[in-house]
Amino acid sequence: MIIRDAQLEAVAVKANQYPEDSMIEIAFAGRSNVGKSSLLNLLTNRKSLARVSGSPGKTRTINFYKVNGVFRIVDLPGYGYAKVSKGMSKDWGPMMEEYFQKRQGLKKVIQLVDIRHAPSAQDIQMYEYLRHYGLDGIVVATKADKVSKNEMQKCVSVIRKTLNLSVNDMVIPVSALKRTGQDKLLEEMEKLLEE
């Protein structure tokens, strides 16, 4: 799949701010600073579709992007950043719950983890949450340029084991910096749209 057009359609914190539930949605979730904005920019071939920031915890809303006029990429707020106020982290759960439960068009949530580290307790919790809603199955291991080819397999096995992935679940190493891995991810996204 080639993404030719991507537009920000809505920025929401509550369900009444979501765009109409009329097309397939593929959402992206990950810890703060895992490289979600960089990945979305890589996938859409745009420099600043999603704002990249050096300070974690920037995405605090659910951002809906209409892609090629036929589906949406949904950028979920990053989780697990300590400096985000307690009130904000308290709102995160109910905001996600509402989105996961109510969106008919939501097909899959692609979870991002940093390839260099074993998934955190929050990553594990998130994956179990996705499994509970039947939205699991694809994990993107970001920052793949930071490990050698030899280390990569080892890192991927650590991710598989820590998140308790099944044989059908996939881990796709991606590097936004080196522009690698996105083709495999786009291919998987295309399969979801065809299902």
Side-chain angles (χ1 to χ4, degrees):
M1 167 170 59
I2 294 169
I3 293 180
R4 291 194 170 82
D5 180 53
Q7 308 288 332
L8 178 63
E9 192 180 3
V11 174
V13 287
K14 293 196 282 298
N16 63 3
Q17 298 168 324
Y18 300 167
E20 196 185 330
D21 200 348
S22 57
M23 51 179 66
I24 290 175
E25 292 177 354
I26 299 171
F28 287 79
R31 279 178 66 90
S32 296
N33 232 14
V34 75
K36 204 154 34 77
S37 299
S38 299
L39 176 69
L40 296 181
N41 290 336
L42 175 68
L43 292 175
T44 57
N45 214 358
R46 297 266 297 275
K47 275 197 170 63
S48 57
L49 179 75
R51 285 210 311 275
V52 178
S53 165
S55 53
K58 269 293 177 241
T59 309
R60 294 174 186 175
T61 52
I62 301 177
N63 299 334
F64 294 83
Y65 298 96
K66 192 176 198 173
V67 179
N68 292 348
V70 292
F71 77 102
R72 288 188 190 102
I73 282 177
V74 182
D75 182 7
L76 300 173
Y79 53 86
Y81 185 57
K83 282 207 176 92
V84 171
S85 78
K86 285 273 189 291
M88 215 150 217
S89 24
K90 192 175 87 271
D91 297 342
W92 191 91
M95 184 160 73
M96 290 302 90
E97 196 104 2
E98 185 172 40
Y99 174 68
F100 292 156
Q101 283 178 345
K102 293 194 171 151
R103 285 309 262 187
Q104 298 302 307
L106 179 60
K107 257 290 204 306
K108 181 76 68 192
V109 178
I110 296 170
Q111 184 171 353
L112 279 64
V113 295
D114 186 325
I115 198 164
R116 300 167 299 178
H117 312 290
S120 69
Q122 284 159 322
D123 290 325
I124 296 166
Q125 196 179 3
M126 184 69 191
Y127 203 74
E128 285 168 359
Y129 200 50
L130 297 180
R131 196 178 276 135
H132 170 76
Y133 286 108
L135 297 167
D136 58 320
I138 302 176
V139 175
V140 166
T142 61
K143 308 183 185 191
D145 53 283
K146 306 279 192 227
V147 297
S148 70
K149 285 263 189 280
N150 293 344
E151 286 176 299
M152 196 176 287
Q153 278 320 106
K154 203 168 72 189
C155 295
V156 166
S157 338
V158 168
I159 292 167
R160 295 194 74 85
K161 195 173 166 194
T162 311
L163 293 178
N164 194 17
L165 301 186
S166 78
V167 288
N168 299 324
D169 292 345
M170 56 179 58
V171 177
I172 305 170
V174 174
S175 165
L177 191 69
K178 297 266 196 267
R179 305 184 71 79
T180 58
Q182 78 275 24
D183 293 343
K184 173 73 179 144
L185 179 54
L186 285 165
E187 196 180 296
E188 290 307 318
M189 287 168 68
E190 190 163 23
K191 285 181 194 164
L192 290 172
L193 297 177
E194 287 165 1
E195 273 173 21

